[in-house]
Amino acid sequence: MSSSVAPPAQPNALYGGTGGRRVTVRDIAAAKQRHEKWPMLTAYDALTARVFDDAGIPVLLVGDSAAMVVYGYDSTIPVTVDDLIPLTAAVVRGSRRAMVVADLPFGSYQTGVSEALTTATRFMKETGAHAIKLEGGRRVLPQVEALVAAGMPVMGHLGLTPQSVNVFGGYRVQGRGESGEELIADAKALEAAGAFAVVLECVPEELAERVTASLSIPTIGIGAGNVTDAQVLVWQDMAGLTPHTAKFVKKFADVHGVLGDAARAYADEVVGGTYPTAEHSYR
């Protein structure tokens, strides 16, 4: 008879592993060699970072998506380095095992190597982040090479790169037709420059499969089908807190409903005079 109880996690497993140290780029590379799929989630504060860390999530991304889910903007473009540094530091403090990846926001690395080094160094020194993520392919290779040479692990990001949404003319699937070959070339160039992983966002599944097979570093899909080495979602999307989400998002919970019910239950007891009771009062 089959059991619904999951087998115990192996010490070296990326998801749910029982090792007592932080996940490193070597662990991520080893998972690729084992053909082990793994999850990544965004996090923006210490409490949710602790929840995800306790759940065994091996990599937490403090994404520039904070622009929308934390600060209320309608795109990632307005968020700044100073906005993201306190959030990244909180996620590092709230986690014990997960690798924390800091996302470089728009305008903080595009002008060249010097700016990229300055920005990334701030994130590493002021927040304790363990890796840096930036968007783009061959156009940002000098920045990637410089960061890696300076000792900072770099995660790339190709396909729908939200910081370039105005160039794309909206949030559209990327990599169809001949542009798919360009994306593959970008992915190989990022690997050669020293990136330890590449996010593939909103690309056709067939293209994501080709990229994944062509790289020795892991691919992390978001709207790229089930063929990448890992998957990432914005946690508020994953948990059903965000009212409107993309096609690729599956809601694994109804946090919006749970929080709304809790708020209404609290309000009803306050209005009705039943909270606080003696149990919740001091004598």
Side-chain angles (χ1 to χ4, degrees), residues 147-255:
L147 295 183
V148 173
M152 292 180 265
V154 175
M155 177 181 290
H157 187 153
L158 296 172
L160 174 57
T161 46
Q163 293 174 14
S164 302
V165 64
N166 291 324
V167 174
F168 295 147
Y171 296 95
R172 303 173 182 272
V173 174
Q174 302 297 309
R176 287 177 172 148
E178 293 182 2
S179 63
E181 300 303 320
E182 293 293 314
L183 190 146
I184 292 174
D186 279 337
K188 290 181 177 179
L190 286 171
E191 178 180 30
F196 73 91
V198 178
V199 174
L200 301 177
E201 181 168 357
C202 285
V203 302
E205 186 173 43
E206 180 273 336
L207 177 60
E209 185 171 28
R210 291 176 61 197
V211 174
T212 301
S214 69
L215 300 181
S216 62
I217 60 174
T219 56
I220 304 164
I222 176 167
N226 194 30
V227 294
T228 52
D229 298 298
Q231 297 288 331
V232 62
L233 284 175
V234 172
W235 86 257
Q236 290 92 338
D237 293 347
M238 175 277 299
L241 189 59
T242 312
H244 305 291
T245 57
K247 174 184 178 180
F248 57 77
V249 172
K250 176 178 179 179
K251 296 184 178 182
F252 290 83
D254 181 19
V255 172

Side-chain angles (χ1 to χ4, degrees), residues 69-91:
V69 298
V70 175
Y71 293 110
Y73 296 113
D74 60 3
S75 77
T76 65
I77 292 173
V79 77
T80 68
V81 171
D82 288 338
D83 289 332
L84 294 181
I85 279 183
L87 307 186
T88 308
V91 171

Side-chain angles (χ1 to χ4, degrees), residues 80-82 85 102-105 107-110 112-127 132 147 152:
T80 68
V81 171
D82 288 338
I85 279 183
D103 209 357
L104 301 190
S108 69
Y109 62 93
Q110 285 90 346
V113 167
S114 178
E115 182 185 43
L117 282 169
T118 298
T119 303
T121 298
R122 281 197 65 191
F123 273 101
M124 299 291 280
K125 288 179 69 68
E126 296 179 33
T127 74
I132 298 296
L147 295 183
M152 292 180 265

